[in-house]
Amino acid sequence: MPIFAILFFTWFDWQVIKTKNYTIICKPDYEYEAIQTLYNLEYYRTNVINLTGNNIRNLPVVIEDIGTLSNGFANPFFYNIHIFTYPPGFERYLEGIESWHRLVSVHEFTHISHMTKTRGISRLLAGIFGAPFQSNMYSPGWIIEGITVYSESQISPYEGRLNDGFFDSYLETRICEKKFPTIIEATNEPLAFPYGKIYLYGGELFDFLSMNYGEEKFAQFFSVYGSYPWAPISALFPALGLDMAAKRVYGKTFTGLFSEWQRFEKNRLTCEPPNAERLTKTGWLVSSLSHHQNKIYYIREMPIKLNGFRYRELTQIIELNLETKKEQVFATLNSTVTTTMKLYHDNLYLSTAEVRRANNVYYNGYGITSVLSRINLNKKNSEVLFKDDIRTFCVLEDLTILYVKNKQGVFGSEIWLSTPETRSKLWDSDMLINEIETNGKWIVASAGRQFENPDLYILDIETGDFQPIVQTPWTEGNIQFIKEDLLGFIANYDGKHRIYAVNLNKPESIFCYTNNAFVNSFVIDDTMLFFSGLNSDGFDIYHKPSMPELYTIKEYQPITKPDFTTMKIETKNGNYFDIAKTLFPAARLPVIFPMDSTFKKWLYGAVISGADATDENFYITIIGYDQLNEKPYLKSVLQSSFFSPLQMQVFYDYNDLINVLSSYPLYYSLQNIISQFSVSIDFRSFDEFTRKEVTPGFLCTIQKPYSSFFLNFAVPLERKFYKSSVDRTCIAGSAGLSHILLNGEFRVKSLGFLDPENPDTRSISIRGYEPINSHKGIVFRAEYSHRLLKIRKGLWNPNIYFEDVFGTLFFDYAFDENKKNYLSLGLEIGTETKVCFGFVQIFPRAGVAINRNKEISFFAGFNASTLDFP
């Protein structure tokens, strides 16, 4: 019993630091991240308030460790923000981040400050009924993310996505190819390069509005729109809300402002295609170029659309033959690449994502780490070397691995050495190292201190000394040796990502290799330069003669670092009560709806919903009085991950039902064939609580790059000895296979059940038949789906968008307890449809089926067809 008590109270070990403005919530050992977040929120608080016009207080801020995954999010409905602890490195391309805690804190605080802004009647209604009346929540994604991208980019001229160069460069390619985004595309984000277009288009639009109308207009607009209690209607009809507010503040609707922004950008941005030959035309994300025996190897990440609003992202190693100029897939990976792939001595070294346990709720107690592997290009065999939180690595002459990890609980890096026998830490540094590289003679690093972008250094691994090579306020990275003493790198000088080189013996000598192409990776072979250059479809491989020109870095303003010592912040420690009180209902809405077709009997009541700031517990309840049955009405749902990774759900109906569902993952992997194995046990009391059912079960999933498989098995049990009205044993299972085939998806699903002792008869169905009632049966379904047409058209008023049309050929089969067979085949057509700024996604579909009796039937519905337990 004492052991159980100790284990139980470890789930209450959240630590709380409070000021009058913020409540910082973290697990033990994360005080550094909590304090850094608090200081940055307090220091830049006034900037955000002036930008949004909203002076909010007592904001819960949760610090979560998701391993090596960098992100954060804001929840305006339940009023909290979450900050992930890991500072990002160089992922798909360079991005200026002088301080991760500053950038992510300002970004997420801007979200909450914007979306909770209310005024007038909306403020009164929000105070009474809660978050649903926060009008600014009902905005398109390019407004929601645009203001935050703008906000993060005002802190420093060397930080934030508007100062990085990628956004401008991508707009240049769209202008050059006469594909400037419309307001319809920006609002609905079709599956096309790049991911996160709402950040790009929204950030650039807000930058334009600031330059041409003044930054002070933002707060005015949020105030006007925040006073419209009918804002939810505006999500479907922007003319009735969003455009009304825009006309009051800017004198134009948003369609007019988009057109004005388009003309502005066409005049501002130059249209210069890369001065190089394009070797590939596949697009999407390309990185980690390496050269070996007249072939180029690189990583490509791209999605394959499968069916309505479903896609799978493939991560592949591509081999480009320079003689034939043909691409082929060298390997397809089971998970994403976490650092730059590198080539040493005929071997490709790459680190890919894997999971480990971590302190968080967001990822159910798991986090991302890396597995380092080596692939021999001649033998084409692969071996796993080790698993760790690898930030960057290089291979030394003796084939040992020098790699970097983040320091825990403080800013900086740890330098580790891995040999075939052991791994050991060499030393710590107060520099955050993003990349290391070696050619045997030199070891160089791209690294920076707190509130600095990474610079280039020569690294002495014996002493831990950093000798500066290139130091600027901009970002230098993606390093690789061109010659013995010539180090190549990419930097965003002049707002352009170009290729440069520095002579390590004469660091004052810097050369530039590209002028008018945005580059995120490169390799130089003798006299030829190969690079991944940007176009409207993403990145492709280009090449040109290697002709470097001497380059002089322009004069720049020095970095201004915040001085936290000037702040007078009064803090005090809190406790779990500060978390518990965030469970106060965020939504408190009256509910009135008819209980019969005569509209004479009604339900009068309310719906209340809330969640704690940590996201461990969520609830929604409808409570009231049922006139039809003349009794109280109560339905409630509670979800809890308090004992994460154990997941629990409770469904309660006052009249009839209590259902407790719980599941626990015994195994979870991103690398291995078996990706998940979880067990579950559910309890259900129903039929006016006369029946009581216990259901143990398990779920196993297998994940490969092109295929996935699941097996679900459960045994519902009822026994009179635990007060159920019947004795019953049921066996039920389902299985499914999905495989990418010819850029479409082949799916097989089946379920079977044996439930002869059940007083209630189950109902199963296949297309082409009415529902089939049976106590046992098997259902089988085979389908092939493929995209038939890209529409990518829509309207602003009303706000509706049609993306792609999919066709599905199907074959259904079933037999029941009487051993009667049912089969049908047919065709479905469905159209991806988005409404309300793309936040509501529906997949209306219609089809025709012919059954074994040669009867033809037509059917229609919404969303992709599924096959689950009946």
Side-chain angles (χ1 to χ4, degrees):
M1 193 68 183
I3 295 176
F4 175 79
I6 292 171
L7 291 174
F8 180 78
F9 282 105
T10 59
W11 277 282
F12 289 94
D13 64 349
W14 291 101
Q15 295 185 352
V16 178
I17 304 171
K18 298 193 297 184
T19 69
K20 65 179 181 180
N21 297 318
Y22 305 100
T23 300
I24 310 295
I25 303 167
C26 68
K27 289 288 188 177
D29 301 326
Y30 295 91
E31 291 86 353
Y32 167 76
E33 290 84 356
I35 292 298
Q36 288 298 311
T37 299
L38 177 60
Y39 283 173
N40 279 287
L41 284 169
E42 291 284 5
Y43 192 88
Y44 295 100
R45 175 179 175 81
T46 303
N47 298 40
V48 176
I49 292 172
N50 291 339
L51 191 65
T52 61
N54 192 14
N55 185 5
I56 61 176
R57 296 188 183 277
N58 195 28
L59 173 65
V61 181
V62 182
I63 309 298
E64 295 198 83
D65 176 6
I66 318 292
T68 59
L69 180 66
S70 304
N71 211 332
F73 65 90
N75 190 328
F77 197 93
F78 295 126
Y79 192 65
N80 58 69
I81 64 177
H82 287 233
I83 305 296
F84 296 175
T85 59
Y86 196 80
F90 301 146
E91 296 175 349
R92 296 176 173 122
Y93 37 81
L94 300 178
E95 182 181 330
I97 300 178
E98 295 174 331
S99 169
W100 167 243
H101 293 102
R102 175 173 69 180
L103 183 136
V104 69
S105 298
V106 169
H107 182 104
E108 303 305 340
F109 181 45
T110 304
H111 268 317
I112 291 292
S113 188
H114 158 227
M115 287 189 283
T116 62
K117 171 67 177 176
T118 55
R119 189 171 65 88
I121 296 176
S122 289
R123 173 172 291 185
L124 176 63
L125 294 174
I128 298 171
F129 300 116
F133 286 93
Q134 293 172 165
S135 303
N136 276 291
M137 291 196 309
Y138 305 99
S139 302
W142 47 264
I143 288 182
I144 292 172
E145 295 297 348
I147 185 59
T148 57
V149 168
Y150 177 87
S151 178
E152 75 185 31
S153 304
Q154 306 310 304
I155 302 168
S156 164
Y158 311 107
E159 184 173 68
R161 279 166 276 197
L162 290 178
N163 299 316
D164 165 62
F166 171 71
F167 281 11
D168 277 355
S169 295
Y170 184 69
L171 280 183
E172 286 178 2
T173 67
R174 297 294 298 260
I175 291 170
C176 190
E177 298 177 29
K178 296 181 172 55
K179 297 178 181 178
F180 197 91
T182 65
I183 192 172
I184 305 300
E185 178 188 344
T187 301
N188 292 280
E189 273 208 294
L191 186 62
F193 181 86
Y195 294 123
K197 289 178 282 293
I198 53 177
Y199 296 83
L200 194 160
Y201 302 144
E204 292 282 358
L205 176 65
F206 271 84
D207 197 37
F208 156 75
L209 293 174
S210 174
M211 286 187 286
N212 290 271
Y213 291 90
E215 185 180 281
E216 69 280 357
K217 294 286 188 181
F218 298 158
Q220 293 179 32
F221 173 78
F222 299 146
S223 182
V224 171
Y225 189 55
S227 69
Y228 293 170
W230 61 88
I233 300 174
S234 176
L236 185 58
F237 298 101
L240 301 180
L242 202 72
D243 281 339
M244 287 174 58
K247 287 193 74 173
R248 284 184 58 182
V249 175
Y250 293 104
K252 297 179 181 179
T253 65
F254 273 111
T255 52
L257 291 171
F258 252 77
S259 297
E260 188 178 346
W261 171 51
Q262 180 179 20
R263 293 190 297 271
F264 171 82
E265 296 292 8
K266 286 181 178 180
N267 293 328
R268 180 177 73 95
L269 298 174
T270 58
C271 178
E272 297 182 72
N275 184 24
E277 181 184 358
R278 184 174 175 179
L279 298 179
T280 66
K281 293 186 178 180
T282 308
W284 279 97
L285 295 160
V286 171
S287 61
S288 300
L289 269 65
S290 298
H291 180 266
H292 180 260
Q293 296 180 356
N294 208 32
K295 295 175 181 177
I296 302 291
Y297 294 88
Y298 46 91
I299 300 295
R300 172 172 282 129
E301 300 168 81
M302 64 182 299
I304 302 293
K305 262 205 165 180
L306 305 178
N307 205 340
F309 301 115
R310 293 183 57 240
Y311 70 92
R312 181 177 295 173
E313 183 170 294
L314 297 179
T315 302
Q316 299 173 323
I317 302 175
I318 304 296
E319 178 185 88
L320 173 63
N321 190 308
L322 297 179
E323 291 183 0
T324 63
K325 298 182 181 179
K326 298 291 186 181
E327 287 183 299
Q328 70 174 23
V329 177
F330 180 80
T332 303
L333 308 177
N334 235 24
S335 62
T336 58
V337 175
T338 56
T339 67
T340 303
M341 181 178 69
K342 298 184 179 183
L343 174 65
Y344 299 98
H345 306 294
D346 299 337
N347 291 297
L348 288 174
Y349 291 79
L350 72 158
S351 61
T352 49
E354 182 55 293
V355 294
R356 63 166 173 83
R357 293 305 307 272
N359 263 322
N360 64 75
V361 177
Y362 176 83
Y363 204 4
N364 196 28
Y366 289 93
I368 299 298
T369 188
S370 294
V371 171
L372 186 66
S373 301
R374 176 170 56 206
I375 304 174
N376 186 277
L377 292 175
N378 298 322
K379 299 178 182 179
K380 296 188 177 181
N381 62 329
S382 174
E383 60 178 319
V384 172
L385 300 179
F386 63 89
K387 173 182 174 181
D388 209 339
D389 289 353
I390 304 168
R391 187 172 183 86
T392 182
F393 71 93
C394 67
V395 181
L396 304 180
E397 284 295 294
D398 59 358
L399 299 185
T400 57
I401 311 293
L402 188 70
Y403 71 100
V404 176
K405 298 171 58 176
N406 280 11
K407 289 171 70 173
Q408 299 298 309
V410 67
F411 184 87
S413 301
E414 300 175 355
I415 289 75
W416 287 67
L417 185 67
S418 174
T419 69
E421 295 78 25
T422 186
R423 283 182 284 140
S424 58
K425 185 170 71 171
L426 300 181
W427 39 266
D428 291 340
S429 172
D430 61 356
M431 303 275 279
L432 185 64
I433 303 173
N434 282 328
E435 283 185 295
I436 53 174
E437 186 58 282
T438 184
N439 65 348
K441 179 180 178 181
W442 307 91
I443 298 177
V444 294
S446 171
R449 294 181 175 85
Q450 181 72 289
F451 297 105
E452 292 181 2
N453 280 317
D455 294 314
L456 302 182
Y457 298 87
I458 296 173
L459 181 61
D460 188 329
I461 63 169
E462 299 295 332
T463 64
D465 290 336
F466 288 77
Q467 177 186 335
I469 309 169
V470 179
Q471 289 185 298
T472 73
W474 294 285
T475 302
E476 290 94 9
N478 287 347
I479 52 179
Q480 64 171 270
F481 282 91
I482 298 172
K483 296 179 182 178
E484 182 179 54
D485 299 323
L486 194 64
L487 178 69
F489 62 96
I490 294 175
N492 62 336
Y493 308 145
D494 310 313
K496 304 289 184 181
H497 289 219
R498 295 169 175 154
I499 302 169
Y500 300 88
V502 58
N503 188 317
L504 297 182
N505 293 313
K506 299 169 59 179
E508 67 276 6
S509 299
I510 296 179
F511 303 91
C512 181
Y513 287 77
T514 53
N515 291 316
N516 57 343
F518 182 98
V519 180
N520 78 333
S521 185
F522 71 97
V523 66
I524 297 178
D525 172 40
D526 295 329
T527 61
M528 292 301 297
L529 167 65
F530 299 88
F531 63 89
S532 57
L534 183 64
N535 55 71
S536 64
D537 296 320
F539 290 94
D540 277 296
I541 306 300
Y542 295 78
H543 77 149
K544 58 176 286 190
S546 175
M547 300 173 61
E549 298 178 356
L550 197 62
Y551 180 82
T552 302
I553 297 175
K554 68 179 183 181
E555 294 185 3
Y556 50 81
Q557 299 176 354
I559 296 172
T560 302
K561 298 183 180 182
D563 184 3
F564 294 147
T565 62
T566 62
M567 297 188 300
K568 295 180 179 180
I569 304 175
E570 294 183 7
T571 64
K572 60 180 180 179
N573 294 328
N575 51 46
Y576 197 81
F577 175 76
D578 295 291
I579 300 173
K581 67 184 182 182
T582 63
L583 283 165
F584 185 78
R588 310 169 291 274
L589 298 174
V591 171
I592 302 174
F593 58 82
M595 299 297 289
D596 64 1
S597 58
T598 67
F599 294 93
K600 293 181 180 179
K601 302 294 183 179
W602 293 77
L603 170 70
Y604 297 96
V607 56
I608 59 174
S609 179
D612 65 32
T614 65
D615 285 345
E616 284 183 328
N617 301 289
F618 161 82
Y619 64 91
I620 182 169
T621 297
I622 300 176
I623 186 170
Y625 182 76
D626 177 0
Q627 281 189 330
L628 180 64
N629 297 295
E630 296 183 340
K631 60 182 180 181
Y633 184 96
L634 175 62
K635 291 183 184 293
S636 187
V637 178
L638 169 66
Q639 294 181 185
S640 179
S641 56
F642 185 79
F643 299 106
S644 174
L646 176 69
Q647 294 290 308
M648 298 186 66
Q649 288 183 311
V650 179
F651 298 87
Y652 177 74
D653 185 336
Y654 172 81
N655 299 316
D656 181 68
L657 171 72
I658 182 169
N659 192 3
V660 181
L661 299 89
S662 58
S663 64
Y664 190 91
L666 295 177
Y667 177 81
Y668 186 26
S669 173
L670 299 177
Q671 295 272 334
N672 298 323
I673 293 178
I674 297 178
S675 59
Q676 182 181 2
F677 187 88
S678 61
V679 294
S680 61
I681 184 164
D682 302 339
F683 170 78
R684 185 167 66 116
S685 181
F686 59 106
D687 275 1
E688 296 182 349
F689 307 112
T690 61
R691 296 179 60 181
K692 297 173 179 62
E693 177 186 85
V694 177
T695 305
F698 72 84
L699 170 67
C700 179
T701 60
I702 294 174
Q703 188 75 44
K704 294 292 287 180
Y706 291 95
S707 304
S708 61
F709 171 81
F710 79 88
L711 174 63
N712 194 359
F713 186 79
V715 184
L717 303 169
E718 292 186 73
R719 295 293 183 266
K720 290 182 179 179
F721 77 80
Y722 54 73
K723 307 300 182 182
S724 183
S725 61
V726 299
D727 281 316
R728 166 177 165 251
T729 299
C730 172
I731 299 174
S734 62
L737 170 69
S738 168
H739 180 70
I740 297 175
L741 179 65
L742 303 175
N743 285 327
E745 182 187 31
F746 174 69
R747 295 184 301 277
V748 176
K749 293 183 179 181
S750 64
L751 69 82
F753 62 94
L754 179 63
D755 199 9
E757 299 158 323
N758 196 340
D760 299 327
T761 306
R762 290 177 177 248
S763 177
I764 59 177
S765 63
I766 64 173
R767 287 162 287 197
Y769 292 91
E770 295 296 322
I772 305 160
N773 296 320
S774 179
H775 285 92
K776 62 180 179 180
I778 291 178
V779 182
F780 173 84
R781 175 175 295 171
E783 300 178 330
Y784 178 73
S785 299
H786 199 281
R787 180 166 56 192
L788 302 178
L789 179 66
K790 286 185 179 181
I791 303 178
R792 312 288 169 103
K793 303 288 184 182
L795 299 173
W796 177 245
N797 273 296
N799 201 265
I800 187 170
Y801 182 77
F802 303 102
E803 191 163 330
D804 294 340
V805 177
F806 285 86
T808 300
L809 296 170
F810 67 84
F811 169 78
D812 289 355
Y813 170 80
F815 76 85
D816 62 15
E817 60 187 342
N818 299 316
K819 298 184 179 180
K820 182 177 180 180
N821 296 303
Y822 306 83
L823 63 86
S824 65
L825 54 87
L827 170 70
E828 283 185 6
I829 302 292
T831 303
E832 293 176 315
T833 307
K834 298 178 180 179
V835 295
C836 298
F837 303 140
F839 294 123
V840 178
Q841 299 181 351
I842 55 177
F843 188 56
R845 56 189 178 86
V848 58
I850 180 169
N851 63 26
R852 66 179 304 160
N853 300 322
K854 299 182 180 180
E855 297 171 335
I856 298 175
S857 60
F858 298 91
F859 58 90
F862 290 92
N863 301 321
S865 56
T866 60
L867 183 58
D868 301 307
F869 288 126

